[in-house]
Amino acid sequence: MALKECTKKEEANSYELVVSVDGETFEKAINAVYKKQVKKINVQGFRKGKAPRSIIERLYGAEVFYDDAMQDCYPDALYDAAKEAGVKIVAVESLEAVEAGKEGFTFKALVVVEPTMEIDNYKGIEVEKKSTEVTDGLIDKEIEQVRERNSRLVTVEDRAAENGDTAVIDFEGFVDGEAFEGGKAEGYNLSLGSGNFIPGFEEQIIGHTTGEEFSINVKFPEEYQAEELAGKDAEFKIVLHEIKTKELPEVDDDFVKDVSDKDTLDEYKEELRETVAKRLKDEAEKDVDDQISNKLMELLEGEIPEAMFENQANEMVRDFEMRLRAQGMDMKTYMQYMGMDVNALKGMYREDAEKRVKLRLALETIAKKENIEVTEADLEDEYSKMAEAYKMDADKVKEAVPAESLTEDVKVQKALDLVKNSAVIK
């Protein structure tokens, strides 16, 4: 296989490659296609699947297996041609066979390639690090969250419903005097102030007492999901059965023993200080990374092909599908449940896909400018880390992750380390 021509087109990052595949490679591909397809071919005088290739070619033409054989050759031929041309293909827009025969075949490919980008001023990036000080206020906030998680609802009988209470109600809704579908429930637990119901609904429960029967009037929002109700005035008949309020536990040694393995409040607070300190440190470091990444994306210059964003979004969808399968759910079921399609899912990933592509290009460009190299020792170290993380044998990891792709990943990581180490952190 060899690259015959590489012509840059007027469109940015678009090239036409003319590639030739030698006769020996083409012959192997034809023979492989014959062995696959002969099982389905009937030829008079031969048992099904037993007709010689020469007989089939005589009956149907010498080119009978050419198209499928060329399809099998295209991926490797394009990969080799791109490598020879010094470009990285990100999308194939068209493939066209020019000529084919026993001596091989030639084809044209219109491809989109990874762009050549520029980036400067990536050293000495100024970033502001978040505070990692563990204050008494933060500890109190942590304890309050634990109290909330360990709270319980108790019935209130000596007062009217207040914001923050849970009201146990029956309700039925009417529009123009007619009950509507989905507007009725019994024994419903409604958290007042949650904003889960139509605007004005929860507010009109407040002030009523247990056992009351009353009506409230609301207006459905103009953009309400049920079109037949959107913008309509409605009356809801309410029966208030019970008012419940949240009761928080007292913060004392008994509380500490219930929620942790500590015996005293002081011990528990000390443990919380360590936990909060670690979390703040991790959050601060991630925020520094995010600031650096955002700055690198701003500094990156060049035209990025749409196909790169599309490819990244598709890859993220595939990763999501694999995670779904690991949880015992298939993509079709998930889509039906969520009421969306693949394009909507890709749209959700679009912004993140663009960021990943831009950051990767920025770091690849820096790696080239800095002549960053990856040694065998670097690769072995990375393979060892991966083997340990995935609990796999290192040789198995090497089979799954080609050295070529890992080399690029390590280069990118080294470029990021270079930028981070030179950053000015305030």
Side-chain angles (χ1 to χ4, degrees):
M1 288 178 274
L3 175 68
K4 296 181 74 174
E5 293 178 30
C6 178
T7 308
K8 193 174 188 312
K9 308 300 286 182
E10 289 185 8
E11 298 85 355
N13 306 304
S14 182
Y15 283 80
E16 183 181 78
L17 306 179
V18 180
V19 186
S20 64
V21 177
D22 62 84
E24 182 182 353
T25 301
F26 193 33
E27 171 60 23
K28 285 180 181 177
I30 292 171
N31 207 43
V33 170
Y34 157 72
K35 288 179 179 178
K36 249 192 297 188
Q37 295 186 0
V38 69
K39 300 170 187 176
K40 305 173 186 177
I41 300 175
N42 285 316
V43 175
Q44 191 174 357
F46 296 90
R47 282 183 298 159
K48 186 177 181 180
K50 297 297 182 180
R53 178 179 148 189
S54 58
I55 299 296
I56 296 172
E57 289 178 336
R58 194 181 305 155
L59 283 171
Y60 298 102
E63 302 86 5
V64 63
F65 299 118
Y66 278 16
D67 284 347
D68 289 330
M70 285 189 283
Q71 290 294 331
D72 290 346
C73 288
Y74 285 144
D76 287 343
L78 269 177
Y79 176 82
D80 291 343
K83 198 169 184 180
E84 189 177 338
V87 296
K88 188 183 293 184
I89 296 174
V90 297
V92 179
E93 296 192 330
S94 66
L95 286 170
E96 178 189 358
V98 178
E99 57 182 356
K102 291 183 178 180
E103 68 284 353
F105 74 96
T106 302
F107 68 93
K108 287 181 181 178
L110 186 61
V111 299
V112 178
V113 304
E114 190 171 290
T116 299
M117 308 295 286
E118 290 295 331
I119 189 167
D120 292 306
N121 303 318
Y122 50 83
K123 290 181 180 177
I125 292 175
E126 293 187 0
V127 295
E128 189 169 337
K129 191 169 185 177
K130 284 184 174 181
S131 171
T132 56
E133 181 187 359
V134 182
T135 63
D136 290 341
L138 284 174
I139 299 302
D140 290 342
K141 186 177 179 181
E142 288 289 315
I143 292 175
E144 199 59 31
Q145 289 173 351
V146 176
R147 288 183 76 203
E148 287 283 343
R149 289 197 295 270
N150 287 273
S151 64
R152 64 191 183 101
L153 289 175
V154 296
T155 300
V156 175
E157 296 178 343
D158 59 350
R159 64 169 174 78
E162 297 177 354
N163 193 41
D165 287 342
T166 294
V168 182
I169 61 172
D170 296 343
F171 64 83
E172 186 172 13
F174 299 83
V175 171
D176 297 327
E178 296 290 331
F180 56 86
E181 187 178 352
K184 182 177 181 179
E186 295 180 354
Y188 189 91
N189 285 267
L190 175 60
S191 177
L192 303 179
S194 64
N196 290 332
F197 270 36
I198 309 161
F201 189 105
E202 294 168 25
E203 291 86 343
Q204 293 181 66
I205 304 294
I206 294 171
H208 289 281
T209 56
T210 301
E212 272 195 71
E213 296 184 20
F214 54 95
S215 295
I216 63 174
N217 295 288
V218 296
K219 186 182 183 69
F220 282 97
E222 295 292 340
E223 66 281 3
Y224 194 67
Q225 56 195 17
E227 292 182 9
E228 68 276 11
L229 298 175
K232 296 286 184 67
D233 291 320
E235 177 189 18
F236 281 87
K237 293 181 179 179
I238 311 290
V239 179
L240 178 54
H241 291 293
E242 187 180 5
I243 300 168
K244 294 187 284 189
T245 190
K246 189 183 295 181
E247 186 178 83
L248 300 176
E250 291 293 327
V251 180
D252 53 22
D253 291 349
D254 288 334
F255 165 76
V256 168
K257 290 172 185 176
D258 287 339
V259 301
S260 74
D261 59 359
K262 301 301 178 185
D263 293 321
T264 68
L265 183 57
D266 287 340
E267 289 175 346
Y268 182 51
K269 285 186 175 182
E270 190 57 38
E271 181 182 61
L272 284 179
R273 283 188 180 277
E274 293 175 7
T275 303
V276 172
K278 183 182 183 306
R279 188 181 72 225
L280 291 178
K281 181 175 178 291
D282 291 342
E283 289 175 354
E285 289 176 357
K286 184 182 182 303
D287 185 64
V288 166
D289 288 349
D290 289 344
Q291 289 183 62
I292 290 173
S293 296
N294 289 334
K295 186 61 179 177
L296 290 177
M297 287 186 276
E298 288 176 13
L299 293 171
L300 186 66
E301 295 182 358
E303 189 170 346
I304 303 172
E306 175 65 25
M308 293 190 74
F309 300 136
E310 188 77 7
N311 290 348
Q312 182 63 55
N314 286 335
E315 185 177 328
M316 293 168 77
V317 169
R318 285 193 294 272
D319 287 345
F320 179 71
E321 185 173 8
M322 288 176 64
R323 292 197 300 274
L324 281 180
R325 286 179 181 172
Q327 296 168 13
M329 183 182 289
D330 63 86
M331 182 71 94
K332 185 178 179 181
T333 303
Y334 175 82
M335 292 297 181
Q336 289 174 342
Y337 179 75
M338 297 300 293
M340 63 193 303
D341 58 17
V342 174
N343 288 330
L345 185 61
K346 280 170 60 176
M348 287 171 54
Y349 285 124
R350 173 67 190 209
E351 184 178 350
D352 195 29
E354 287 191 15
K355 288 181 178 180
R356 290 191 188 188
V357 169
K358 289 176 182 178
L359 181 59
R360 178 84 181 197
L361 285 173
L363 294 171
E364 285 178 347
T365 305
I366 292 169
K368 287 177 186 175
K369 292 189 75 165
E370 297 290 337
N371 295 313
I372 291 175
E373 298 293 336
V374 176
T375 65
E376 285 297 322
D378 291 330
L379 289 179
E380 286 301 321
D381 183 52
E382 197 62 30
Y383 276 127
S384 296
K385 288 178 184 175
M386 293 172 73
E388 184 177 347
Y390 294 110
K391 309 298 181 189
M392 292 173 62
D393 184 77
D395 290 335
K396 293 290 184 184
V397 176
K398 289 178 182 179
E399 289 176 14
V401 184
E404 186 175 355
S405 62
L406 185 60
T407 297
E408 293 305 309
D409 290 343
V410 175
K411 274 187 184 180
V412 163
Q413 185 57 53
K414 284 191 169 188
L416 180 58
D417 291 341
L418 180 150
V419 174
K420 286 173 67 175
N421 290 336
S422 70
V424 178
I425 301 175
K426 298 180 180 180

